[in-house]
Amino acid sequence: MKQRSEKPYTAKQITSALIAFIFLLGVLCLYYGSSFAPALSRSEGEHDGSDPVLGGKIRDFDDLFEDQEHNPEVPKSIPICDIKHSELIPCLDRNLIYQLKLKPNLTLMEHYERHCPPPERRFNCLIPPPIGYKIPIRWPESRDEVWKANIPHTHLAQEKSDQNWMVVNGQKINFPGGGTHFHDGANKYIVSLARMLKFPNDKLHNGGNIRNVLDVGCGVASFGAYLLSHSIIAMSIAPNDVHENQIQFALERGIPSTLGVLGTKRLPYPSRSFELAHCSRCRIDWLQRDGILLLELDRLLRPGGYFAYSSPEAYALDPENRRIWNAMHDLLRRMCWRVAVKKDQTVIWQKPLGNGCYLKRGPGTQPPLCSTGDDPDATWNVHMKACIIPYSAKMHKERGSGLVPWPKRLTAAPPRLEDIGVSPEQFHEDTNIWQFRVNEYWKQMKSVVRKNYFRNVMDMNSNLGGFGAALKDTDVWVMNVAPVNMSARLKVIYDRGLIGTVHDWCEAFSTYPRTYDLLHAWGVFSEIQEHGCGVEDLLIEMDRILRPDGFVIIRDKPLIINYIRKFVTALRWDRWLSEVEPRSDALYLSEERVLIARKKLWSEGVSAM
């Protein structure tokens, strides 16, 4: 009896010892293994244990999921939002205005400005795609057609049927390239603007001197779409108004665009960022509040920049339009703008190159010059000011921005580096580092990424724009996002001929769900943690922005990466995964890891909350 009772006890000891040994072995693998490459087959991965791409050690794919078995804090799943929220933009949700009983000034467009929900009202769930959603059509075909199921709204096609905005064609929506003012197509209109300005060879880029354009009230962004073939990139903006899906269509087409409104606050772009501002039938009252909206354009335009205005006020002869034209002409004259050319239904104004005209104005002339203490590059939640921002002494002396033509300006050290304390040598080093880093990312993903797979790309912490510049030979555009505490650097990005915006990643971004193919987050999670914001909240927000089949590249401290890795399955980012320890460089954050994950296209029948 004694022997028979000891036998199962001994077996239990052996079993416990084996479990302890396996657990210890797993911990050791987790500690010493610094990367894994699920895309590699066994034959491809047979080497000395180091990553042939980034130099990190390879870790078995199955190790990624051990945490979910041993850590009760890891979520098995994240709730799915109701399908009615499939187009939710948390900080531009008009329902929130009513729920919180806010009283925005409708005349000043405050209801189209950002109003983010408090933490207790956030949707802590994943935004589902609409029924029948398909992987978006790839660029360049997407410029001219998108899947109707992805944006199931056809009212614009009906409302703008006489203007060639868009046409419903079976399961697709086609974009002929027309607009409210250019029914015959944006391309002809672009050439006509170049001819009006007498630019060489009828090219609006003017030898590379016009690169960045701000298109206000852009519709479905066909103007910006056709500017791309002219080596010009436009920041196309429109509010989430009665044409609420226009920017959603633009982004689905793969055109640089974002939600924005000329309301009470400055647009989130630095001063002297655009060579040309454009408004075609944009229905904006430019005379309101002492011309404050025109003064915001003045802040954004570079020395000698243009404002192309195509609207009835520029040509109609009825008394009301004549009154508006005369008042607008008088205001812009006092702002020292001149009419560069006026023809048919379009007028193009030009800003002065220096401060000379401002200094010659009579005492008390309105609008006044801004005070010397005003920071023209401060934009996050900063109200517009009805004053003229004079040029810096350096810009006034040089009578211009001092930028070289595109494409040389992408890699040339811009003059405003001095404003942020960065030397040309540091700038060039940053450019080279990011070129190397991006090459390594691409090598890591080469087994799963096809040509033209990426189109809409976001760099969530853009620094000097090196990540975006490194993609110069690919057919993508990059939304360079400068965190609020680094917003001064955004002007360098614009001076390189790129575009971007300022944002606080403790809040939701102003875009529709499923609008970006690739999100790059370098040090973003470490930054928001220092400000007391939740990693989980940002992961859910990134999932909202990311298209199904899209990728995230998260580069951060090992502890951050280890924590994020626990959520990839719950987020459904586990279609493809890779983690590496990159080689150190001058930008290295003492210790870094790179996690690359791919989002799944959800199957039907997922339960919702």
Side-chain angles (χ1 to χ4, degrees):
M1 294 292 292
K2 184 177 181 181
Q3 289 179 343
R4 293 181 65 169
S5 64
E6 286 179 343
K7 188 172 182 179
Y9 179 77
T10 304
K12 185 181 291 186
Q13 283 183 319
I14 294 172
T15 302
S16 300
L18 284 172
I19 291 173
F21 176 77
I22 292 170
F23 179 77
L24 179 61
L25 184 62
V27 171
L28 289 173
C29 289
L30 186 64
Y31 181 80
Y32 288 106
S34 60
S35 64
F36 61 89
L40 296 178
S41 66
R42 186 172 299 275
S43 60
E44 291 172 317
E46 288 176 355
H47 47 66
D48 61 0
S50 64
D51 186 347
V53 178
L54 299 187
K57 293 183 178 179
I58 300 294
R59 190 171 62 191
D60 185 26
F61 178 82
D62 292 335
D63 289 348
L64 179 70
F65 303 103
E66 286 188 349
D67 289 331
Q68 291 188 323
E69 297 177 5
H70 297 101
N71 189 342
E73 296 180 2
V74 178
K76 297 294 183 182
S77 64
I78 296 175
I80 308 301
C81 300
D82 190 280
I83 191 66
K84 67 182 180 182
H85 299 303
S86 66
E87 295 177 353
L88 177 70
I89 310 168
C91 291
L92 292 174
D93 181 9
R94 283 197 289 276
N95 290 325
L96 186 68
I97 295 177
Y98 307 129
Q99 293 168 6
L100 298 181
K101 298 181 180 180
L102 304 178
K103 295 181 179 179
N105 188 318
L106 304 186
T107 303
L108 303 184
M109 301 293 185
E110 284 185 333
H111 54 308
Y112 294 141
E113 295 183 324
R114 288 173 59 84
H115 40 269
C116 297
E120 65 273 12
R121 285 184 172 267
R122 288 179 179 170
F123 287 83
N124 294 314
C125 50
L126 303 181
I127 302 296
I131 297 171
Y133 181 88
K134 299 181 180 182
I135 299 302
I137 296 169
R138 302 300 178 196
W139 183 268
E141 288 77 13
S142 64
R143 188 195 72 174
D144 301 324
E145 61 180 16
V146 302
W147 295 116
K148 183 173 68 174
N150 292 7
I151 310 178
H153 302 282
T154 58
H155 61 280
L156 275 178
Q158 299 165 0
E159 184 178 341
K160 303 291 184 179
S161 59
D162 61 330
Q163 299 171 13
N164 282 331
W165 274 36
M166 48 192 279
V167 178
V168 178
N169 184 13
Q171 295 186 5
K172 295 180 179 179
I173 294 177
N174 299 125
F175 299 87
T180 304
H181 184 71
F182 40 90
H183 301 180
D184 296 329
N187 227 11
K188 291 182 179 179
Y189 176 64
I190 291 167
V191 172
S192 72
L193 293 178
R195 286 175 178 167
M196 287 177 65
L197 291 167
K198 297 181 180 180
F199 287 163
N201 302 315
D202 298 335
K203 300 294 185 182
L204 191 60
H205 62 64
N206 191 26
N209 289 299
I210 289 187
R211 167 62 181 173
N212 294 1
V213 169
L214 177 67
D215 188 16
V216 180
C218 63
V220 293
S222 288
F223 181 66
Y226 285 84
L227 282 175
L228 291 168
S229 62
H230 295 259
S231 297
I232 296 173
I233 188 166
M235 178 66 87
S236 298
I237 67 169
N240 186 19
D241 59 9
V242 291
H243 304 316
E244 59 183 298
N245 300 102
Q246 53 194 338
I247 292 297
Q248 190 178 15
F249 279 117
L251 288 165
E252 185 76 9
R253 297 173 70 188
I255 302 168
S257 51
T258 191
L259 288 160
V261 64
L262 284 166
T264 66
K265 296 177 181 177
R266 285 177 172 177
L267 293 174
Y269 318 126
S271 66
R272 324 303 187 213
S273 293
F274 302 94
E275 285 88 17
L276 171 69
H278 174 258
C279 163
S280 172
R281 305 281 184 97
C282 54
R283 301 188 305 173
I284 293 175
D285 178 8
W286 295 106
L287 297 175
Q288 63 175 285
R289 293 173 284 160
D290 301 318
I292 197 168
L293 303 185
L294 281 171
L295 289 161
E296 174 65 358
L297 289 190
D298 184 85
R299 181 184 72 84
L300 294 169
L301 283 173
R302 301 196 198 276
Y306 298 97
F307 175 41
Y309 185 55
S310 299
S311 187
E313 293 86 3
Y315 63 86
L317 300 177
D318 60 279
E320 179 59 16
N321 279 312
R322 286 295 85 197
R323 181 194 68 79
I324 295 173
W325 165 257
N326 290 333
M328 197 169 173
H329 186 273
D330 179 62
L331 171 62
L332 289 170
R333 178 186 57 80
R334 286 183 275 114
M335 288 171 55
C336 293
W337 290 22
R338 70 177 186 89
V339 174
V341 61
K342 183 182 179 185
K343 184 178 180 181
D344 300 329
Q345 300 181 4
T346 301
V347 60
I348 302 178
W349 278 282
Q350 186 177 23
K351 273 187 65 173
L353 286 167
N355 292 329
C357 174
Y358 304 144
L359 301 176
K360 294 177 182 178
R361 299 190 317 162
T365 301
Q366 297 294 320
L369 296 181
C370 297
S371 64
T372 55
D374 182 66
D375 181 1
D377 299 323
T379 60
W380 186 251
N381 288 328
V382 174
H383 282 86
M384 296 179 187
K385 298 181 180 180
C387 57
I388 301 170
I389 300 173
Y391 298 121
S392 65
K394 185 176 181 179
M395 272 193 180
H396 172 66
K397 182 179 179 180
E398 294 180 353
R399 293 184 60 79
S401 62
L403 299 175
V404 298
W406 176 266
K408 291 182 179 179
R409 71 172 60 172
L410 180 67
T411 52
R416 290 198 286 184
L417 278 176
E418 185 178 342
D419 296 355
I420 59 173
V422 175
S423 69
E425 293 75 21
Q426 291 171 316
F427 171 81
H428 290 303
E429 183 182 28
D430 182 89
T431 299
N432 292 333
I433 287 172
W434 279 109
Q435 186 65 65
F436 175 80
R437 286 184 171 189
V438 168
N439 289 342
E440 301 300 271
Y441 292 157
W442 251 236
K443 290 177 185 177
Q444 195 70 14
M445 295 187 292
K446 66 180 180 180
S447 64
V448 290
V449 173
R450 304 186 306 273
K451 183 180 179 182
N452 294 338
Y453 188 86
F454 299 123
R455 175 58 186 169
N456 300 353
V457 176
M458 178 184 288
D459 187 7
M460 298 171 65
N461 179 17
S462 54
N463 193 31
L464 300 176
F467 175 83
L471 296 172
K472 61 183 182 299
D473 296 325
T474 61
D475 212 355
V476 308
W477 70 274
V478 180
M479 178 65 81
N480 293 279
V481 181
V484 176
N485 64 331
M486 300 293 284
S487 61
R489 299 194 165 211
L490 191 58
K491 57 189 170 188
V492 171
I493 288 168
Y494 275 90
D495 287 354
R496 301 184 76 165
L498 305 174
I499 60 171
T501 187
V502 177
H503 185 64
D504 179 356
W505 283 114
C506 291
E507 301 178 0
F509 194 78
S510 294
T511 192
Y512 287 89
R514 303 171 300 280
T515 46
Y516 285 88
D517 301 299
L518 173 64
L519 304 178
H520 176 249
W522 172 50
V524 176
F525 287 89
S526 292
E527 177 70 23
I528 65 163
Q529 271 204 325
E530 291 178 5
H531 291 85
C533 303
V535 169
E536 296 91 335
D537 291 334
L538 181 53
L539 288 170
I540 290 174
E541 171 61 8
M542 289 172 68
D543 182 80
R544 186 186 71 86
I545 295 172
L546 188 64
R547 286 173 168 172
D549 248 10
F551 286 77
V552 295
I553 302 175
I554 303 174
R555 189 184 192 111
D556 218 307
K557 299 173 183 177
L559 284 175
I560 296 286
I561 295 298
N562 289 340
Y563 186 73
I564 290 173
R565 198 176 60 238
K566 300 173 183 179
F567 290 85
V568 293
T569 301
L571 289 163
R572 297 170 176 80
W573 289 2
D574 54 356
R575 180 175 176 188
W576 184 88
L577 295 157
S578 176
E579 186 182 336
V580 300
E581 180 181 346
R583 293 171 183 161
S584 61
D585 53 44
L587 300 177
Y588 200 68
L589 303 173
S590 66
E591 282 188 278
E592 284 185 342
R593 294 271 276 279
V594 175
L595 175 66
I596 304 178
R598 187 179 191 181
K599 179 179 176 179
K600 289 178 178 177
L601 174 59
W602 302 347
S603 60
E604 296 182 5
V606 178
S607 59
M609 65 177 296

